[in-house]
Amino acid sequence: MTRTKRGSIARKRRTKSTSSFRGARSNRTRTILQQRIKALVSSQQDRDRKKRDFRSLWISRINAIIGQNKEKIYYSNLMYNLYTNQLLLNRKIVSQIAILKGNCLFIISNDIIHFFNKNSPETELREGGRIKEICMIK
């Protein structure tokens, strides 16, 4: 029986995902495997970096809107007061409120400051009644 060479078929199998790479990274088996592993690691790192970038974007948006307020409130104080008053709004939602309805964010922050300064539990704020009225959130 004659010997069959599987060179082209085996090469196709190995280089399926590395066809767009340049040079030895698309031709040689060992470098193909190394490059594939490196690409997977890089993709995971980039997904993590994307999460960090979006979080920093949301924080900068909130800071920009809060900075326009006449009463000086800092981002850290706002987030702390949201947490202590049990308003479960994450940074993404707060930044969307800041972009779409900046006045609503001012009112929320002012209400939180005044309620927090009184040191009295306000069920209306916790339930979101006043916030829903002001911002017309359904």
Side-chain angles (χ1 to χ4, degrees), residues 4-66:
T4 56
K5 295 182 177 181
R6 294 198 44 202
S8 61
I9 296 168
R11 200 173 303 116
K12 278 182 191 175
R13 181 173 49 84
R14 288 189 204 107
T15 62
K16 196 174 282 186
S17 65
T18 59
S19 61
S20 62
F21 295 148
R22 292 174 57 183
R25 294 173 179 177
S26 66
N27 294 332
R28 300 201 174 109
T29 307
R30 186 179 298 169
T31 52
I32 285 171
L33 294 175
Q34 291 170 354
Q35 191 59 31
R36 199 183 290 173
I37 291 168
K38 186 174 181 180
L40 290 172
V41 169
S42 299
S43 66
Q44 178 63 41
Q45 288 173 349
D46 289 340
R47 283 194 295 273
D48 292 341
R49 186 173 291 119
K50 184 175 160 185
K51 292 181 182 88
R52 275 179 290 187
D53 291 343
F54 269 109
R55 184 182 169 104
S56 65
L57 174 70
W58 297 329
I59 290 170
S60 61
R61 283 179 178 171
I62 294 168
N63 255 334
I65 296 295
I66 287 176

Side-chain angles (χ1 to χ4, degrees), residues 89 93-102 104-105 108 135 137:
L89 297 173
I93 300 300
V94 174
S95 72
Q96 286 177 350
I97 290 172
I99 290 170
L100 298 175
K101 298 184 178 186
C104 182
L105 185 65
I108 291 170
C135 302
I137 300 171

Side-chain angles (χ1 to χ4, degrees), residues 60-110:
S60 61
R61 283 179 178 171
I62 294 168
N63 255 334
I65 296 295
I66 287 176
Q68 298 171 359
N69 198 355
K70 290 175 184 158
E71 293 184 23
K72 283 294 179 184
I73 182 171
Y74 297 103
Y75 165 79
S76 58
N77 291 340
L78 173 71
M79 295 312 286
Y80 175 73
N81 292 338
L82 282 173
Y83 177 75
T84 54
N85 285 311
Q86 297 176 352
L87 266 175
L88 302 175
L89 297 173
N90 59 10
R91 286 160 183 83
K92 181 179 179 181
I93 300 300
V94 174
S95 72
Q96 286 177 350
I97 290 172
I99 290 170
L100 298 175
K101 298 184 178 186
N103 295 334
C104 182
L105 185 65
F106 290 147
I107 294 167
I108 291 170
S109 63
N110 291 337

